[in-house]
Amino acid sequence: MNTTKKVLLINAHLTYPNRSEGLLNQAFHQKAKDFFLSKGFEVLETKVEDGYHVDIEVEKHLAADIIVLQTPINWFSTPWIYKKYVDEVFDGGFIKSTFFENDGRTRQDPTRQYGTGGKMMGKKFMVSSTWNAPKESFDNSDQLLYEGRSTTDALINITTTYRFCGVEIVPDYNCFDIYKDGDISGTLERYPEHLEKVFNLS
């Protein structure tokens, strides 16, 4: 029996030629890959922009113990290709009844909450993202856009899909202010420390 842990690394970057080539998100993706290989994981990879087969992506999700999404934040969300990916892959998981059984509610037991019908318990999911927004935009009620909300709040439209399926959500990792004054190199170098901590791999 193969007991090697598996991690699925998803890169959601969408290229805009001469403006956004994806080098930064690829660097974080590679940093995560190198980290998990050093910990003895089998690494499964998907670069959404390069195309994918729904059934294979479903199987990757079922095989993975850990799933990490690497994404830029474009207009306050992921690139549209990632939403398409989620719609298709999670619908594939729904059709096969492998990601979740139902939404969790039953007429026989009214205490069962919406979102408790997942079948992917034991797996963990994390978002690593790159932002134009500065770190100061978050967790500060004096800031205009996010009104005191955290990055975890801002990314809830991404993480809730996995939580609905029973996956544990671990703290996100973010590279801020990438076009102006962000500490890109430092944030990249510190990334393995975050992965080691949130996935308890020390």
Side-chain angles (χ1 to χ4, degrees):
M1 181 178 178
N2 186 358
T3 58
T4 302
K5 292 281 191 176
K6 296 181 176 65
V7 59
L8 171 58
L9 304 178
I10 304 169
N11 185 340
H13 183 267
L14 175 61
T15 300
Y16 290 92
N18 302 317
R19 184 165 67 84
S20 181
E21 301 289 350
L23 298 180
L24 180 56
N25 280 275
Q26 182 57 40
F28 276 96
H29 180 96
Q30 187 64 47
K31 184 71 77 170
K33 180 178 180 179
D34 293 343
F35 169 81
F36 283 108
L37 287 173
S38 75
K39 296 295 183 179
F41 277 71
E42 179 182 340
V43 177
L44 311 173
E45 298 179 83
T46 296
K47 187 174 182 182
V48 178
E49 188 173 40
D50 288 347
Y52 52 88
H53 190 286
V54 169
D55 288 342
I56 293 174
E57 295 306 307
V58 169
E59 292 305 315
K60 286 181 184 178
H61 274 79
L62 295 175
D65 301 284
I66 292 171
I67 303 156
V68 177
L69 171 66
Q70 180 61 51
T71 185
I73 301 300
N74 294 352
W75 295 108
F76 311 103
S77 188
T78 61
W80 66 267
I81 57 171
Y82 178 68
K83 180 59 168 72
K84 180 176 182 287
Y85 172 86
V86 167
D87 284 354
E88 294 179 341
V89 173
F90 279 76
D91 193 55
F94 167 66
I95 291 170
K96 294 176 180 292
S97 296
T98 51
F99 284 11
F100 57 95
E101 190 68 40
N102 49 50
D103 69 16
R105 297 174 295 172
T106 69
R107 290 184 174 85
Q108 293 75 25
D109 183 0
T111 66
R112 288 285 302 276
Q113 292 187 27
Y114 178 69
T116 58
K119 297 175 69 174
M120 298 174 72
M121 284 73 72
K123 300 178 185 292
K124 297 181 179 182
F125 175 71
M126 192 198 87
V127 180
S128 171
S129 55
T130 58
W131 300 73
N132 176 51
K135 186 175 182 180
E136 294 74 22
S137 294
F138 302 95
D139 302 297
N140 183 345
S141 59
D142 291 330
Q143 290 288 312
L144 175 65
L145 283 180
Y146 286 103
E147 299 177 318
R149 296 179 179 86
S150 65
T151 53
T152 299
D153 296 328
L155 298 170
I156 196 169
N157 63 312
I158 302 169
T159 57
T160 301
T161 303
Y162 282 89
R163 192 186 304 277
F164 183 84
C165 296
V167 179
E168 177 186 349
I169 310 303
V170 305
D172 47 82
Y173 191 74
N174 304 283
C175 185
F176 299 104
D177 212 358
I178 62 172
Y179 294 113
K180 292 184 180 178
D181 299 318
D183 179 17
I184 293 175
S185 60
T187 304
L188 183 61
E189 287 307 309
R190 291 188 294 271
Y191 188 26
E193 298 174 16
H194 178 85
L195 293 170
E196 188 167 69
K197 179 180 178 181
V198 299
F199 293 117
N200 194 26
L201 296 175
S202 58

